[in-house]
């Protein structure tokens, strides 16, 4: 299947997660809210490189394996960058990790044992990296949440990098050894998990109970 058609099939599921995320972004514009976003993001990003590398090494040598190893190298260090962003805010997270992200991390750890591990992983990639925020929007996060510019480095970087990640993914989706229906199903599963996660964030974050 054409890579653009795959993304077209995924788009409605992405919207499911974007709506509750935008509600949180618009309603919770405080430094502490941004800290919670960073902390939750770090929780799953720290698994990115191990997951991609594990799936890649479970595959036979070839183009898909090489492409995934390149992706792993590009994501290396982003978990540490998120911790540095957290330090730049100067506040500590107060929410525990989302139970929905715990489900997502569990899925990630078990990808290499699935029937189509590379296709399952590309489903995750298609949701997480193929719908980049604009650099202009990412550049406004510091002002919106009232945090230092240095605290938004990770999101500003991804606004740039994910544009190229989307282009490369569209090309890679078309490899004959990848299973397009699995990519779409996997992306839909992840989108639904993140929709529940952001709904949980909206319900859990209370200005009166978290902000001192």
């Amino acid at each position: 299947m054409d890579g653009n058609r795959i993304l077209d099939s995924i788009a409605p599921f992405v919207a499911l997660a974007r709506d509750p995320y935008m509600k949180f972004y618009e309603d919770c514009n405080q430094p502490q809210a941004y800290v919670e976003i960073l902390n939750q993001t770090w929780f799953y990003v720290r698994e990115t490189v191990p997951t991609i590398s594990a799936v890649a090494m479970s595959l036979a040598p070839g183009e898909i394996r090489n492409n995934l190893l390149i992706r792993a190298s590009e994501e290396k260090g982003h978990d540490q960058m998120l911790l540095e962003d957290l330090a730049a805010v100067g506040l500590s997270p107060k929410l525990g990790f989302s139970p929905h992200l715990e489900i997502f991390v569990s899925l990630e750890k078990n990808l290499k044992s699935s029937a189509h591990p590379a296709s399952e992983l590309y489903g995750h990639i298609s949701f997480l990296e193929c719908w980049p925020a604009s650099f202009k929007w990412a550049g406004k996060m510091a002002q919106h949440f009232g945090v230092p510019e240095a605290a938004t480095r990770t999101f500003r970087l991804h606004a740039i990098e994910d544009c190229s990640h989307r282009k490369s993914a569209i090309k890679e989706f078309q490899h004959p050894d990848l299973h397009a229906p699995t990519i779409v199903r996997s992306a839909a599963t992840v989108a639904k998990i993140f929709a529940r996660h952001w709904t949980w964030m909206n319900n859990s974050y209370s200005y009166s109970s978290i902000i001192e």
Side-chain angles (χ1 to χ4, degrees), residues 28-151:
C28 306
N29 59 337
Q30 302 291 329
Q32 188 66 46
Y34 184 68
V35 166
E36 305 304 335
I37 292 174
L38 286 174
N39 193 47
Q40 301 293 335
T41 305
W42 172 80
F43 178 65
Y44 70 84
V45 166
R46 65 179 176 166
E47 301 294 340
T48 300
V49 172
T51 296
I52 297 175
S53 299
V55 171
M57 297 311 294
S58 73
L59 305 174
E63 184 178 358
I64 297 177
R65 181 179 181 178
N66 291 341
N67 288 338
L68 290 177
L69 290 175
I70 290 171
R71 284 186 177 275
S73 68
E74 291 173 346
E75 296 296 325
K76 189 174 182 180
H78 289 192
D79 54 341
Q80 182 59 37
M81 192 181 298
L82 284 162
L83 293 178
E84 292 167 3
D85 287 355
L86 268 171
V89 181
L91 297 172
S92 299
K94 296 185 178 181
L95 291 179
F97 293 125
S98 163
H100 307 289
L101 291 185
E102 290 177 351
I103 292 171
F104 174 66
V105 168
S106 178
L107 279 178
E108 293 254 290
K109 290 180 177 180
N110 290 299
L111 279 182
K112 67 179 182 179
S113 60
S114 66
H116 300 283
S119 299
E120 293 275 2
L121 177 57
Y122 270 106
H124 291 207
I125 289 170
S126 69
F127 173 78
L128 293 170
E129 297 189 0
C130 291
W131 308 91
S134 70
F135 186 75
K136 182 179 180 180
W137 179 84
K140 292 181 177 179
M141 292 185 81
Q143 181 180 2
H144 179 80
F145 287 105
V147 299
E149 192 76 18

Side-chain angles (χ1 to χ4, degrees), residues 134-191:
S134 70
F135 186 75
K136 182 179 180 180
W137 179 84
K140 292 181 177 179
M141 292 185 81
Q143 181 180 2
H144 179 80
F145 287 105
V147 299
E149 192 76 18
T152 64
R153 186 172 55 140
T154 304
F155 293 117
R156 285 185 285 115
L157 175 66
H158 275 264
I160 297 171
E161 290 189 344
D162 284 354
C163 291
S164 62
H165 289 168
R166 178 186 172 98
K167 291 179 181 177
S168 60
I170 288 171
K171 180 179 178 181
E172 291 165 25
F173 287 159
Q174 300 177 65
H175 194 285
D177 290 342
L178 290 177
H179 189 241
T182 298
I183 295 175
V184 174
R185 178 188 53 74
S186 176
T189 297
V190 174

